[in-house]
Amino acid sequence: MGQTPEVFKQPHVWETEGSSRIPFWAYTDEAIYKKELDRLFYKGHWSYIGLEAEVPNPGDFKRTVIGERSVVMTRDMDGAINVVENVCAHRGMQFCRERHGNKKELVCPYHQWNYSLKGDLQGVPFRRGVKQDGKVNGGMPKEFKTEDHGLNKLKVATRGGVVFASFDHEVEPFEDYLGPTILGYFDRLFNGRKLTILGYNRQRIPGNWKLMQENIKDPYHPGLLHTWFVTYGLWRADNKSELKMDEHFRHAAMISTRGTGGKKEEVTQGVTSFKENMEVLDKRLIDIVPEAWWNGPTALMMTIFPSVIFQQQVNSVSTRHIQPNGHGSFDFVWTHFGFEDDTPEMTQRRLIQANLFGPAGFVSADDGEVIELSQFGFEQKPSHRAVAELGGYECENTDHMVTETLIRGMYNYWRKVMEV
Amino acid sequence: MDMATATNGQTVIDLLRLYGDYAAAVDSAQWDKWVEFFVDDCEYKIQPRENFERGFPLSTLALLSKNMLKDRVYGIHETLYHDPYYQRHVVGMPVIREDKDGVIIAEANYAVFRTKLSGESTVFNVGRYLDKIRREDGKLKFVSRLCIYDTEMIPNSIIYPI
Ligand code: FES
Ligand SMILES: [Fe+2]
């Protein structure tokens, strides 16, 4: 008989070779989480900010976050996109509380320091002091230069109407960051057409943020957990599919082409979620119309590490922004969009298919649920580990989806950057 | 003259009964009964206040016919894996905005509490109902019910109708 394992063993060491066995403490340890914020969100990586269509006019702004740091995206008077940190250069107040709007300048309410939309400090009240009884009182020291006290400006990349930013001005160019393979899929979705915003969904999921990346790097579950997908052939293990990663294995694309669905096959044998006799009463829920830009695949799910997922599930397209807030929770913000050349019918179709996704989605609601319950499992015995060995131990691209290769890929990269 | 006073007493009573019966049905998991509060060509939406006020058409759930409501009920019973929970609605007094040609426009505030097994009761979703109601077979039914919610972050997911 082996020893009963210690549940809260320290220090935390990754005990196995490779990345197929993921220790539960990777999801539960507060120090690891803080290190992730520093190394994955605040340094060396690009994070999702939003869509240019959210700030169409000069003066428009949108408040969002990178990791846990509040930032503001603005469109300045020259029409350019800027991202600044939402911390006043004076005494640190988070000055922007509205989530969107239009302003000519950014003003901190506390002492009225005001900044241009690019983040430059324009003026400081009482800079030259206040005259009283023939004498000037106070004021800023002579050496004070407004140029030294702008807002923290981030490095910004825009492509195809999507905005990314980084606190790290040394970060590699955005195109290199994605790598040629993933960039190709990115350009397929964001091919230069103007985007139209259909709206937002916001949910708080009580689980570690990496679980959401894993969920969309996991083609094992959709055909099992999601009855909807299986039955209508939207996502089944026998669909024609490919899994692709960048050279670092941090980003991925799951590419799938819808099968015929319906009939019983090997992959649905014994799968309790498969309902052969299920039929939607209102067919508009699965009224799928192929679009030219698809070039084949009916579903293409992209995980851009660490902050965002780009979704094409048939006619429903969205961005899903991961906003961590603690080791055991993240906010998940969905932005559904369409394209400027959509007919009213196509817009309506995208909106109806949106019923499958989001916090109440016929399909996606259960993803949030299993993430919450996974976190429960991790918290109860952090010294244990997950097994991601479907399809072996390697990190490789595949032409099928019966594998957890993308999850192994992400942890291969994670171990390197986190040095664990 | 105030719209509410223009509505006859029986209509007000019927409306209160509709609101009460609806809440009782969705709080006791009678999903098949829930569907019957609607006319065939109905609309039921759960939409964030943000989208509603900014004119974005997206809803968290947008069911556009009684058949789609039935599809949702099937989903709740058969396809949507979820952590089981109870829900409890507290619905405020309805305000009748209009009562004309047999169509009532009304609204009411609501708060929904969620209780998970072995868990505490928490505020789950808070907002207001915007309703269009018409009489059918002697009963008041929803032509449309919009649940416009203030709740900024949905606590994970919404499975059951609000
Ligand atoms: S803290 Fe912003 S102006 Fe003083
Ligand atoms: Fe899923």
Side-chain angles (χ1 to χ4, degrees):
Chain A
M1 286 294 282
Q3 268 186 308
T4 306
E6 213 180 313
V7 166
F8 299 106
K9 200 164 78 187
Q10 291 278 1
H12 288 148
V13 264
W14 191 302
E15 277 162 355
T16 49
E17 280 295 298
S19 54
S20 69
R21 302 228 161 171
I22 306 130
F24 286 0
W25 51 255
Y27 308 92
T28 64
D29 187 304
E30 196 59 30
I32 288 276
Y33 168 67
K34 289 271 153 49
K35 196 164 154 189
E36 288 178 329
L37 287 177
D38 262 329
R39 295 195 179 187
L40 306 176
F41 287 90
Y42 304 154
K43 199 179 150 223
H45 295 75
W46 287 98
S47 283
Y48 176 77
I49 296 295
L51 303 174
E52 284 201 57
E54 293 175 275
V55 288
N57 303 309
D60 284 350
F61 69 90
K62 169 196 167 176
R63 175 170 59 74
T64 181
V65 291
I66 295 181
E68 293 190 358
R69 290 166 79 172
S70 179
V71 298
V72 183
M73 162 166 71
T74 65
R75 189 180 290 277
D76 62 35
M77 293 308 165
D78 308 327
I81 300 277
N82 307 268
V83 179
V84 295
E85 187 164 16
N86 187 12
V87 172
C88 179
H90 178 220
R91 277 170 36 206
M93 175 166 152
Q94 208 179 71
F95 57 89
C96 177
R97 296 301 300 160
E98 300 99 322
R99 196 160 46 208
H100 71 97
N102 184 285
K103 285 183 177 163
K104 292 212 162 39
E105 55 184 13
L106 304 170
V107 181
C108 177
Y110 203 173
H111 314 91
Q112 308 278 311
W113 282 32
N114 58 85
Y115 308 90
S116 73
L117 294 166
K118 297 180 198 295
D120 296 315
L121 180 62
Q122 305 182 118
V124 170
F126 311 144
R127 179 168 178 192
R128 316 233 175 263
V130 177
K131 261 204 196 106
Q132 195 185 25
D133 305 329
K135 136 169 153 347
V136 177
N137 294 328
M140 282 300 200
K142 263 201 277 310
E143 314 76 69
F144 181 85
K145 286 209 222 52
T146 48
E147 305 86 81
D148 297 342
H149 299 275
L151 297 172
N152 186 15
K153 298 178 188 175
L154 282 76
K155 187 161 173 165
V156 175
T158 59
R159 191 176 173 97
V162 189
V163 182
F164 279 78
S166 179
F167 289 107
D168 184 353
H169 285 262
E170 310 286 289
V171 68
E172 66 194 301
F174 179 68
E175 284 70 18
D176 298 349
Y177 179 71
L178 291 194
T181 308
I182 301 299
L183 189 64
Y185 294 121
F186 180 95
D187 288 345
R188 168 184 174 273
L189 178 58
F190 302 108
N191 63 3
R193 286 176 294 171
K194 268 222 173 76
L195 309 179
T196 51
I197 307 295
L198 298 181
Y200 304 99
N201 267 315
R202 301 171 192 274
Q203 60 188 136
R204 180 160 292 169
I205 301 181
N208 184 269
W209 68 273
K210 295 190 291 303
L211 287 166
M212 188 40 88
Q213 283 281 347
E214 282 178 35
N215 184 265
I216 309 298
K217 290 177 188 287
D218 167 17
Y220 193 5
H221 86 276
L224 299 164
L225 176 67
H226 305 311
T227 308
W228 255 82
F229 273 170
V230 195
T231 307
Y232 300 119
L234 295 177
W235 196 286
R236 291 167 42 138
D238 55 355
N239 279 4
K240 186 164 150 280
S241 51
E242 287 180 296
L243 305 179
K244 297 261 183 79
M245 289 177 277
D246 69 316
E247 58 170 348
H248 303 285
F249 310 139
R250 54 191 174 188
H251 317 304
M254 303 200 295
I255 307 132
S256 171
T257 304
R258 188 190 184 196
T260 44
K263 56 194 189 310
K264 268 197 170 25
E265 298 285 356
E266 192 189 344
V267 290
T268 54
Q269 293 284 321
V271 173
T272 55
S273 56
F274 180 71
K275 314 256 181 246
E276 194 175 16
N277 299 320
M278 169 173 156
E279 260 205 66
V280 278
L281 297 173
D282 194 317
K283 305 288 184 229
R284 287 177 294 179
L285 284 167
I286 49 165
D287 167 34
I288 293 155
V289 172
E291 299 174 62
W293 63 270
W294 292 3
N295 287 321
T298 52
L300 207 157
M301 299 296 296
M302 251 179 290
T303 37
I304 306 301
F305 194 78
S307 66
V308 72
I309 291 150
F310 295 127
Q311 163 198 330
Q312 179 228 336
Q313 285 281 6
V314 286
N315 300 112
S316 175
V317 284
S318 69
T319 70
R320 309 178 183 179
H321 189 184
I322 299 170
Q323 308 180 344
N325 50 50
H327 77 261
S329 174
F330 64 97
D331 291 347
F332 201 38
V333 178
W334 303 63
T335 307
H336 283 257
F337 60 90
F339 304 98
E340 58 178 342
D341 51 354
D342 285 349
T343 60
E345 292 73 30
M346 183 54 85
T347 301
Q348 185 63 7
R349 184 174 294 115
R350 296 196 202 288
L351 288 167
I352 292 176
Q353 288 180 24
N355 277 312
L356 274 57
F357 308 102
F362 278 89
V363 177
S364 300
D366 18 25
D367 287 317
E369 295 287 302
V370 298
I371 286 175
E372 178 171 357
L373 303 179
S374 299
Q375 189 71 24
F376 283 171
F378 304 154
E379 298 285 357
Q380 85 179 46
K381 48 175 196 171
S383 320
H384 198 59
R385 78 285 175 281
V387 181
E389 296 178 353
L390 189 73
Y393 308 96
E394 304 305 315
C395 312
E396 61 197 355
N397 293 346
T398 61
D399 58 3
H400 63 85
M401 58 164 109
V402 198
T403 173
E404 289 168 311
T405 179
L406 304 181
I407 296 174
R408 294 191 289 275
M410 180 172 88
Y411 283 99
N412 179 298
Y413 177 72
W414 187 86
R415 285 193 71 177
K416 276 187 206 142
V417 182
M418 294 289 289
E419 296 175 287
V420 291
Chain B
M1 193 169 72
D2 180 15
M3 281 298 173
T5 50
T7 302
N8 75 44
Q10 189 56 48
T11 305
V12 175
I13 291 169
D14 290 349
L15 189 70
L16 288 173
R17 182 170 294 140
L18 173 69
Y19 277 38
D21 289 346
Y22 181 99
V26 292
D27 285 347
S28 55
Q30 298 185 65
W31 313 128
D32 296 322
K33 200 169 162 195
W34 168 65
V35 168
E36 296 309 322
F37 290 105
F38 293 84
V39 303
D40 287 346
D41 184 21
C42 65
E43 181 180 65
Y44 172 81
K45 287 182 177 173
I46 304 176
Q47 191 183 37
R49 178 175 176 162
E50 176 185 20
N51 290 353
F52 181 75
E53 289 183 351
R54 293 179 70 182
F56 293 132
L58 184 76
S59 294
T60 306
L61 196 65
L63 307 175
L64 305 184
S65 67
K66 193 166 179 173
N67 273 340
M68 236 186 245
L69 266 70
K70 288 181 182 163
D71 287 329
R72 182 63 180 185
V73 171
Y74 186 85
I76 294 169
H77 281 309
E78 303 288 340
T79 78
L80 269 166
Y81 173 76
H82 63 281
D83 202 15
Y85 65 93
Y86 303 128
Q87 63 177 6
R88 183 72 48 203
H89 285 63
V90 177
V91 181
M93 285 293 285
V95 178
I96 298 170
R97 296 284 182 204
E98 199 182 295
D99 179 5
K100 218 170 59 192
D101 310 326
V103 176
I104 302 167
I105 307 291
E107 62 180 80
N109 291 336
Y110 69 80
V112 186
F113 299 89
R114 182 181 73 173
T115 309
K116 285 198 173 187
L117 305 180
S118 315
E120 65 272 37
S121 299
T122 54
V123 178
F124 179 55
N125 194 275
V126 173
R128 65 186 171 131
Y129 291 126
L130 300 184
D131 297 326
K132 192 170 168 186
I133 296 155
R134 133 178 128 214
R135 206 172 280 279
E136 203 179 81
D137 311 325
K139 269 184 150 178
L140 292 185
K141 292 197 171 185
F142 292 109
V143 176
S144 88
R145 166 154 265 197
L146 310 185
C147 317
I148 308 298
Y149 62 90
D150 295 345
T151 311
E152 272 285 312
M153 287 296 164
I154 290 169
N156 206 343
S157 56
I158 295 179
I159 308 293
Y160 309 140
I162 299 285

